[in-house]
Amino acid sequence: MTLVAATGDIHSPRYLNLLIAAAGSWRGDEPCMVLLAGDLVEKGRAEAFSPAFKLLREKFSGSVFVGVFGNEDWNREAMVKLYPEVVWLDDSVFTGDCSGGTVAVVGSTGALDRLTPWQRRNMPWVLDVFRRRPRVLEGLLREARREADYVVLLTHYGVARATIVGEDPRIHPYLYSSAMERMIARARPDVAVHAHAHNGKPHALVNGVPVYNVSLPLVKRIVEVRLAGRRRLDAFF
């Protein structure tokens, strides 16, 4: 049996106390990996992740940390420099050996259906990135499937409409990508993990694929995902 833990939207220091409570309530075993689904800090302040990472590192001392960048984690170079123990993924793959099999994590910030007003003003070119990214990630997922026993898609932005329900419908296009949802239905990773939607829903299925919104202010805990048996998923909170 392989255990993976996941959290996101810590926005340190904003939700640091919530993270402290969540870590304190963890009663599971040591996970093989801890997945960080972005927005780990507020407004690019990379140094603000330090107390949160110290807490997580002490709590899960034997785990491999794998993370993606959220829209608030824009100072990526500083994040990589300050936290080299994290395997940072940016449209890339990490494969690790866990008890019960190998786990491949395909990681990305993700995509949106519509650019935010700030993105339109300051980085309109990212629209092309969002259009290409689902196909890029689909290729990585299919390649990972050939190499690993389990495949996890880790993004910051939402990947299923059902897990952002609860947010104002007018902002749904700024929270997830319908193209990513269609891609998941085709490529069928074993599980998809995202954050970003603080007021969404914690769980949904996309063509049989479990999708988890692990946004800390939403679920108020660190999410456990158990992989038991070859390519069979049991996930729970």
Side-chain angles (χ1 to χ4, degrees):
M1 181 178 291
T2 296
L3 174 63
V4 174
T7 189
D9 290 339
I10 299 169
H11 289 276
S12 188
R14 194 203 314 181
Y15 296 120
L16 185 56
N17 286 338
L18 190 54
L19 180 67
I20 291 170
S25 66
W26 177 272
R27 295 294 181 266
D29 298 326
E30 179 86 9
C32 174
M33 296 180 187
V34 177
L35 307 181
L36 304 172
D39 272 7
L40 307 176
V41 301
E42 284 278 277
K43 299 178 180 178
R45 295 169 52 199
E47 70 282 356
F49 186 50
S50 181
F53 183 63
K54 183 175 185 291
L55 171 70
L56 291 169
R57 179 77 279 177
E58 291 175 352
K59 182 69 178 181
F60 304 115
S61 58
S63 304
V64 176
F65 283 75
V66 182
V68 297
F69 303 105
N71 51 290
E72 294 280 345
D73 308 318
W74 52 260
N75 197 349
R76 299 183 178 197
E77 289 185 5
M79 295 290 285
V80 172
K81 182 178 180 180
L82 288 171
Y83 312 105
E85 292 177 81
V86 178
V87 179
W88 296 104
L89 299 179
D90 189 10
D91 297 345
S92 53
V93 185
F94 169 77
T95 302
D97 291 321
C98 297
S99 60
T102 54
V103 178
V105 181
V106 176
S108 172
T109 298
L112 297 175
D113 274 350
R114 188 179 303 165
L115 297 186
T116 67
W118 187 92
Q119 288 169 336
R120 286 199 301 271
R121 289 192 306 270
N122 297 280
M123 46 192 303
W125 50 265
V126 81
L127 180 60
D128 288 334
V129 176
F130 288 168
R131 287 172 173 167
R132 293 194 306 268
R133 188 164 274 158
R135 285 291 183 184
V136 170
L137 296 178
E138 182 172 1
L140 293 176
L141 287 169
R142 293 189 184 281
E143 183 178 346
R145 172 63 74 202
R146 292 192 290 268
E147 303 295 331
D149 295 308
Y150 306 103
V151 179
V152 177
L153 175 64
L154 174 65
T155 64
H156 174 63
Y157 293 138
V159 294
R161 180 178 290 277
T163 52
I164 64 170
V165 169
E167 299 279 6
D168 186 336
R170 291 173 296 181
I171 67 169
H172 283 187
Y174 307 123
L175 296 176
Y176 97 116
S177 164
S178 56
M180 289 285 288
E181 183 167 17
R182 292 191 296 271
M183 181 275 287
I184 289 171
R186 294 191 302 268
R188 302 197 66 197
D190 292 296
V191 64
V193 173
H194 73 84
H196 195 54
H198 295 203
N199 299 302
K201 299 296 183 184
H203 176 259
L205 289 173
V206 173
N207 194 23
V209 177
V211 177
Y212 292 93
N213 178 357
V214 300
S215 178
L216 183 61
L218 170 68
V219 298
K220 297 178 174 56
R221 66 184 70 196
I222 298 169
V223 176
E224 296 183 37
V225 177
R226 293 186 183 272
L227 301 166
R230 184 171 179 84
R231 293 197 173 107
R232 197 189 96 229
L233 176 71
D234 298 315
F236 58 90
F237 291 91

